[in-house]
């Protein structure tokens, strides 16, 4: 029963995210609306972490399996990708480095801010 309750909460929030995607004319994926909605509900205490943690962890555990079809699609289109392989690799490396740097700096900022609040 616990998993059914958790799945209902997560899918319900996802459905509200889909509705928001239709109602709000911004180029934002419905999943992003759902994630922010879930974050807001967790921060407000309307949804407890225990109410979604087991199913959330299960979904995180099976997430790599979801990338298999995309990887197979890339392998099937490799001949077409050869023409843009160098720019694709450069963009991937640069953007990965950028994202890692921004994430690291943001984490450092948050940790410094938390230490100041503790003192």
């Amino acid at each position: 029963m616990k998993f059914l309750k958790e799945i209902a909460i997560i899918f319900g929030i996802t459905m509200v995210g889909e509705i928001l995607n239709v109602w709000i004319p911004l180029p934002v994926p419905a999943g992003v609306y759902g994630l922010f909605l879930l974050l807001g509900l967790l921060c407000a205490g309307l949804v407890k972490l225990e109410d979604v943690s087991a199913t959330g962890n299960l979904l995180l555990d099976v997430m790599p399996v979801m990338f298999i079809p995309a990887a197979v699609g890339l392998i099937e289109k490799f001949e077409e990708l050869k023409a843009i392989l160098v720019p694709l690799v450069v963009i991937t490396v640069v953007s990965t480095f950028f994202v890692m740097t921004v994430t690291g700096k943001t984490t450092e900022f948050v940790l410094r801010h938390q230490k100041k609040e503790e003192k």
Side-chain angles (χ1 to χ4, degrees), residues 109-119:
F109 173 78
V110 169
L111 291 174
R112 268 189 264 123
H113 184 69
Q114 286 178 345
K115 285 181 183 178
K116 286 180 184 178
E117 285 183 355
E118 290 175 1
K119 291 180 182 180

Side-chain angles (χ1 to χ4, degrees), residues 18-90:
E18 292 287 341
I19 292 168
L20 288 175
N21 190 35
V22 172
W23 286 352
I24 301 173
L26 294 174
V28 177
V32 174
Y33 285 123
L35 287 173
F36 278 115
L37 182 61
L38 180 59
L39 176 64
L41 292 172
L42 286 168
C43 290
L46 298 172
V47 173
K48 303 285 186 239
L49 185 58
E50 301 84 37
D51 293 340
V52 293
S53 63
T55 301
N57 288 333
L58 175 68
L59 291 172
L60 283 174
D61 290 342
V62 299
M63 185 173 62
V65 175
M66 304 303 169
F67 289 100
I68 292 173
V72 171
L74 286 174
I75 291 170
E76 287 179 353
K77 300 292 182 179
F78 186 73
E79 288 300 319
E80 296 171 27
L81 290 174
K82 273 187 187 177
I84 60 166
L85 191 59
V86 173
L88 184 65
V89 169
V90 170

Side-chain angles (χ1 to χ4, degrees), residues 88-101:
L88 184 65
V89 169
V90 170
I91 290 170
T92 302
V93 169
V94 170
S95 63
T96 300
F97 180 75
F98 178 75
V99 168
M100 290 173 64
T101 303

